[in-house]
Amino acid sequence: ALVSSLISLPPSLAVIAAASFFGVEAVAASAMVTLPFQAFVAIAFIARRLGFGAREFGAALRKSAVVALCSGLAGALGALAINQGLMGPLSGVFMTGGLAAAAWAAALVAVDHPLLAALKQVAAGLKTSSRPRVARLLSFAKPLTGSR
């Protein structure tokens, strides 16, 4: 971890320091360069330690990348609609959030993402256990006032 930090932090700090002369927005924009660079260096060190390459890493992230792309595109379409004046800011935010959530869910189903199975399991657990577990939890609760 120390070697990884010694490799990634000095260039990142140099970029941030250079950006600071151009204002706070430039510093924020520099994060778009420095954070992925730091992540790349850290992943390269982890990959070398665990013995996997870029091809395996890409294959593991393929489904998640599709889901993220679909959600991002839906959000971008909503932002474009707001920018073009097709809907107001407040209604646009809610519409964009709903659109992004729907795109996320549809993409999970379309690529058969592993998260989908976990969400189905949670949903099944919520359906079957809402009242009995709450009653059991409440039976363990003791009133704060009373015998001491």
Side-chain angles (χ1 to χ4, degrees):
L2 178 64
V3 175
S4 172
S5 295
L6 289 175
I7 291 172
S8 66
L9 286 179
S12 297
L13 291 174
V15 169
I16 292 169
S20 69
F21 292 107
F22 299 100
V24 72
E25 288 180 356
V27 171
S30 72
M32 300 295 280
V33 175
T34 59
L35 293 177
F37 173 68
Q38 291 174 12
F40 173 77
V41 170
I43 289 170
F45 271 84
I46 292 169
R48 190 174 69 184
R49 183 77 153 164
L50 296 178
F52 66 87
R55 189 174 307 254
E56 292 90 4
F57 188 69
L61 293 179
R62 186 174 297 127
K63 289 182 179 182
S64 295
V66 170
V67 171
L69 181 66
C70 290
S71 300
L73 285 175
L77 285 174
L80 181 65
I82 294 169
N83 192 35
Q84 295 297 318
L86 297 176
M87 53 183 131
L90 186 60
S91 62
V93 166
F94 287 111
M95 186 67 108
T96 300
L99 185 62
W104 175 78
L108 284 178
V109 172
V111 299
D112 193 30
H113 195 279
L115 182 61
L116 186 62
L119 291 174
K120 286 180 180 178
Q121 186 178 9
V122 168
L126 288 175
K127 268 200 268 187
T128 60
S129 68
S130 61
R131 291 199 180 205
R133 287 193 183 172
V134 170
R136 261 189 305 196
L137 284 173
L138 291 177
S139 69
F140 290 113
K142 306 256 188 226
L144 292 176
T145 59
S147 62
R148 267 210 183 200

